[in-house]
Amino acid sequence: MEMLQNRTVVLFFVWLSMSVTELPVKTARPGPRESGRAAHAGMQKGQQTKAAIVDAALGLATQIGLEGLSIGALAEVMRMSKSGVFAHFGSREELQISVIREYFARFEEEVFYPALKEPKGLPRVQALFGNWMKRVAVELQSGCIFISGAVEFDDRPGPVRDALATSVQTWLAAMYRAVVLAKEAGHLRADADERQIAFEIHGLILALHYEARFLKTPGSIDRTLRAFQSILARYGSDAAGALAPPITSASLTGGSARPVPDSSASSASSV
């Protein structure tokens, strides 16, 4: 700071010693406010472009997987140069990680945060599972990054695998915490194993993806909902009976996720 101040003082006295004709010509340039606005606008445009690229990459990843993503393919979709896309990420790996982060952010917005409006206990556990099922109703058609990514990167250590695993672990920890709070609220039996309950709930979602998306088994959504109610019945306390109505396939048409027909079902009643 002292050096900067000294340099400023020296320049000031140099300018004072010059004649008017010797002074440097000051070219017109934006004032501080205009310059700040231009910089802010440029930053906003860059952020918007990057967000649009990530959105397109997420759409591609649900179809071809994270491993199928490439700077070249994305540049073609975005009608940009490869160097233009590369400038926003620096590497294919960073692009993949950005897609994972965006997917998880959307997952939180659709599944986790709305459930926090429900009281702690089984109502919140049920809301988390219901919101999760709403998202699955869409992903049975479009694909799930968490599941396809696990297949692609399960035995491939590195930052992409770490980003995937961390996202899934964060979500499962939130579900486990909700189950713990349900037990503390007296909605689950005193001898209920919270980790076992969370494990079984996660298992239902994995089984649903396999049965409905891969095997095209009819009625998979309804079976999953019945299995969830069975978990609540087995582990629930006497006080849990009328806390929340059962989730039905018809209720999955609500929420922020856009519902689509269950490709595994023979009729729209399983949506």
Side-chain angles (χ1 to χ4, degrees):
M1 177 64 73
E2 184 177 353
M3 291 178 62
L4 180 60
Q5 289 174 337
N6 291 339
R7 181 176 181 273
T8 303
V9 171
V10 170
L11 285 173
F12 178 70
F13 280 108
V14 168
W15 287 355
L16 284 179
S17 65
M18 290 181 178
S19 66
V20 174
T21 57
E22 292 175 319
L23 286 173
V25 177
K26 188 174 182 180
T27 57
R29 63 179 180 180
R33 181 174 296 179
E34 288 76 8
S35 178
R37 286 176 179 173
H40 181 65
M43 186 179 297
Q44 279 190 325
K45 184 177 180 181
Q47 291 172 342
Q48 290 171 353
T49 301
K50 183 173 183 178
I53 294 173
V54 172
D55 185 66
L58 179 55
L60 276 177
T62 58
Q63 300 174 35
I64 61 178
L66 286 167
E67 187 60 20
L69 285 179
S70 69
I71 298 293
L74 202 50
E76 185 175 348
V77 171
M78 293 296 297
R79 297 183 178 179
M80 295 174 61
S81 65
K82 291 182 181 180
S83 60
V85 174
F86 186 84
H88 288 280
F89 301 97
S91 68
R92 177 170 172 266
E93 187 176 81
E94 183 56 39
L95 169 64
Q96 292 170 321
I97 292 173
S98 295
V99 168
I100 294 168
R101 289 171 179 161
E102 176 63 20
Y103 179 84
F104 183 63
R106 296 186 186 187
F107 187 94
E108 282 186 316
E109 288 294 329
E110 295 178 12
V111 178
F112 179 70
Y113 292 121
L116 295 182
K117 299 176 184 178
E118 299 297 327
K120 294 178 182 179
L122 279 189
R124 185 171 294 179
V125 172
Q126 201 155 335
L128 286 170
F129 185 77
N131 294 341
W132 201 356
M133 286 292 293
K134 289 176 184 177
R135 186 165 181 89
V136 169
V138 175
E139 292 178 336
L140 290 178
Q141 299 293 325
S142 63
C144 172
I145 295 295
F146 287 163
I147 292 178
S148 62
V151 174
E152 293 174 312
F153 292 92
D154 59 346
D155 56 355
R156 296 174 57 185
V160 177
R161 187 190 187 283
D162 292 343
L164 271 169
T166 298
S167 296
V168 174
Q169 289 165 350
T170 299
W171 161 239
L172 295 182
M175 175 60 81
Y176 168 73
R177 177 59 180 164
V179 174
V180 169
L181 292 175
K183 184 175 180 179
E184 292 177 355
H187 299 166
L188 298 174
R189 295 199 326 257
D191 62 345
D193 185 336
E194 302 96 315
R195 293 201 177 277
Q196 180 65 28
I197 296 172
F199 180 88
E200 290 183 26
I201 291 173
H202 185 210
L204 292 182
I205 298 295
L206 295 179
L208 174 58
H209 271 277
Y210 196 90
E211 291 284 339
R213 185 167 169 80
F214 179 55
L215 298 179
K216 310 296 183 185
T217 305
S220 296
I221 286 181
D222 282 330
R223 288 185 182 278
T224 303
L225 295 177
R226 287 198 296 271
F228 178 70
Q229 291 305 131
S230 177
I231 291 174
L232 299 187
R234 282 187 285 116
Y235 294 107
S237 65
D238 294 337
L243 286 173
I247 303 170
T248 64
S249 56
S251 69
L252 301 183
T253 59
S256 57
R258 180 172 53 86
V260 295
D262 179 4
S263 61
S264 69
S266 56
S267 69
S269 63
S270 294
V271 176

